Amino acid sequence: SAVISQKPSRDICQRGTSLTIQCQVDSQVTMMFWYRQQPGQSLTLIATANQGSEATYESGFVIDKFPISRPNLTFSTLTVSNMSPEDSSIYLCSARGGTSGTRYEQYFGPGTRLTVT
Amino acid sequence: SQQGEEDPQALSIQEGENATMNCSYKTSINNLQWYRQNSGRGLVHLILIRSNEREKHSGRLRVTLDTSKKSSSLLITASRAADTASYFCATGYSSASKIIFGSGTRLSIRP
């Protein structure tokens, strides 16, 4: 299975500022994703991070608010821009399609707990 | 949007009992995955079952898939306090597609 790490693990930010979350996978993977999880809720997909091209965003999420980079097959970043208290959530990085697992199994990082004041 | 609905939303059982959680989905899938999430932590991958499979086992976990009913179940046998967590199903349409999460079941194991 792929091991995924995220930085920071948590942060408290002021409204109007931006935070960039980093995601590192210990092996090359085909696909990387970013999810958001509100307290007590299920996971909502923000976007698919495409290597070398623009991310594919889900309905309700836009690039200006959540710019994503994926410069190679093991690393991605998600920026939460111009934050408001409604952005307080857990943000999770996910990956699939590594060489050590099946192409269908999808693994998750530990999450970044963001609080916006 | 969520593809899957899980029931029950919450389940409390005595340690040692079996726990069964169900996941229903709306459209045909290629695979279905079950995850566990302890409070405030990341998701742990439990089992993946393909659409051409009917049952899979992993330790105390048993997953079934009924594509005709568009449903799956996760059975945890001989539950332990450490099984207390939220459990999610996630459905995938192909190897290249995103997976969509269900609403989750909160499982509590009473000592």
Side-chain angles (χ1 to χ4, degrees):
Chain A
S1 64
V3 177
I4 303 173
S5 59
Q6 287 184 232
K7 289 195 299 185
S9 58
R10 59 177 62 224
D11 207 343
I12 301 173
C13 302
Q14 291 190 340
R15 68 174 67 205
T17 63
S18 298
L19 175 72
T20 295
I21 303 168
Q22 297 181 3
C23 176
Q24 180 73 55
V25 189
D26 69 340
S27 58
Q28 292 186 342
V29 290
T30 306
M31 306 185 77
M32 294 183 74
F33 307 88
W34 287 97
Y35 288 79
R36 182 172 73 182
Q37 186 178 30
Q38 308 278 15
Q41 302 294 314
S42 185
L43 281 75
T44 299
L45 180 63
I46 298 172
T48 301
N50 300 310
Q51 193 261 330
S53 63
E54 192 172 288
T56 303
Y57 291 85
E58 297 299 302
S59 175
F61 298 97
V62 295
I63 187 171
D64 290 346
K65 177 67 176 177
F66 297 101
I68 288 170
S69 78
R70 189 181 172 194
N72 56 51
L73 293 177
T74 64
F75 185 79
S76 178
T77 66
L78 168 74
T79 298
V80 186
S81 303
N82 188 25
M83 288 184 284
S84 66
E86 291 71 35
D87 295 320
S88 297
S89 190
I90 297 175
Y91 292 85
L92 296 114
C93 174
S94 182
R96 188 167 90 224
T99 56
S100 59
T102 73
R103 55 184 173 156
Y104 300 101
E105 291 181 353
Q106 187 162 326
Y107 299 96
F108 285 79
T112 296
R113 184 181 295 273
L114 171 63
T115 302
V116 183
T117 60
Chain B
S1 62
Q2 288 177 334
Q3 153 81 311
E5 290 296 327
E6 294 179 61
D7 79 272
Q9 288 188 334
L11 178 62
S12 179
I13 61 173
Q14 203 75 32
E15 191 169 15
E17 294 180 338
N18 296 340
T20 299
M21 289 158 272
N22 302 295
C23 170
S24 60
Y25 54 92
K26 298 173 184 174
T27 59
S28 296
I29 60 172
N30 172 279
N31 64 85
L32 186 146
Q33 305 183 56
W34 284 91
Y35 293 86
R36 182 184 74 233
Q37 184 179 37
N38 294 90
S39 180
R41 307 285 292 276
L43 275 76
V44 174
H45 187 275
L46 297 177
I47 289 182
L48 178 148
I49 188 165
R50 298 281 306 277
S51 59
N52 60 353
E53 299 174 309
R54 291 296 166 258
E55 187 172 311
K56 287 189 80 170
H57 298 255
S58 177
R60 294 183 296 113
L61 307 181
R62 173 177 167 250
V63 167
T64 61
L65 179 65
D66 187 334
T67 53
S68 67
K69 296 181 179 179
K70 292 186 172 58
S71 68
S72 175
S73 67
L74 170 66
L75 168 67
I76 304 174
T77 60
S79 62
R80 306 169 181 169
D83 295 328
T84 294
S86 291
Y87 291 81
F88 296 93
C89 67
T91 50
Y93 306 103
S94 73
S95 62
S97 75
K98 59 193 177 187
I99 62 173
I100 303 297
F101 279 80
S103 50
T105 295
R106 292 187 306 279
L107 175 64
S108 298
I109 309 299
R110 302 190 303 271

